[in-house]
Amino acid sequence: MAESYLWIKVVHVLAVISWMAGLFYLPRLFVYHAENIGKADLVAVFTVMERRLLKAIMRPAALVSVLTGLWLIKAGNWFGPVPVWLWLKLLLIAGMLGFHGMLEVHAGRFRNGRETRPGRYFRIINEVPTVLLIAIVILVIVKPF
């Protein structure tokens, strides 16, 4: 059991890293996409890049992150009196999933030629996953509560 727990934790960390890479990169693609709306050749390239990033990396990595995270909670016997730090982490993960969902919506709008947000908006929201990640890492490592 202890050895499988560690291997699931390895898969979890790798999946989280992959998911985070996508959460950092996709808004950056949106910046370039928004700033080049009038250039059909570039828009086509960004649309393909966004779709592939979501389909091949972000969605699978998010799914594996959540599933292995739940497995770790169960295997680590975190049910029962759940520590405050874990509740906060789960809340922040819900925020991360919500952010991912918001990016999916923006990708659909770009794909359908209906996105109206400027590049500056995407530059600003690009900071959201960084803030969430910092808070999650602090909670997991320091366990302040």
Side-chain angles (χ1 to χ4, degrees):
M1 176 67 156
E3 187 174 326
S4 64
Y5 184 86
L6 293 177
W7 282 108
I8 294 297
K9 193 184 279 189
V10 166
V11 172
H12 179 71
V13 169
L14 292 172
V16 168
I17 290 169
S18 299
W19 185 29
M20 292 307 304
L23 290 173
F24 293 144
Y25 187 48
L26 188 58
R28 178 55 47 189
L29 285 176
F30 290 164
V31 168
Y32 302 137
H33 195 149
E35 292 177 350
N36 288 285
I37 286 296
K39 301 173 185 166
D41 54 338
L42 287 176
V43 165
V45 170
F46 291 129
T47 301
V48 169
M49 291 173 70
E50 292 157 5
R51 183 181 55 78
R52 287 184 180 164
L53 180 60
L54 279 164
K55 187 176 179 182
I57 297 172
M58 291 177 66
R59 290 176 191 154
L63 180 63
V64 171
S65 295
V66 169
L67 293 177
T68 55
L70 292 172
W71 192 94
L72 289 168
I73 288 171
K74 183 179 183 316
N77 214 12
W78 291 101
F79 293 111
V82 178
V84 173
W85 72 266
L86 183 54
W87 280 117
L88 291 173
K89 177 189 176 191
L90 293 173
L91 181 65
L92 293 173
I93 291 167
M96 197 80 79
L97 288 165
F99 183 75
H100 180 132
M102 186 180 79
L103 295 180
E104 293 269 2
V105 169
H106 285 299
R109 288 180 184 160
F110 274 120
R111 201 170 33 255
N112 296 321
R114 294 185 336 209
E115 184 57 69
T116 59
R117 304 273 186 166
R120 179 164 166 62
Y121 167 81
F122 295 107
R123 279 189 178 84
I124 292 168
I125 69 163
N126 196 39
E127 304 308 318
V128 171
T130 303
V131 172
L132 291 171
L133 179 63
I134 290 168
I136 290 168
V137 168
I138 289 169
L139 287 170
V140 170
I141 294 177
V142 178
K143 296 179 178 66
F145 309 104

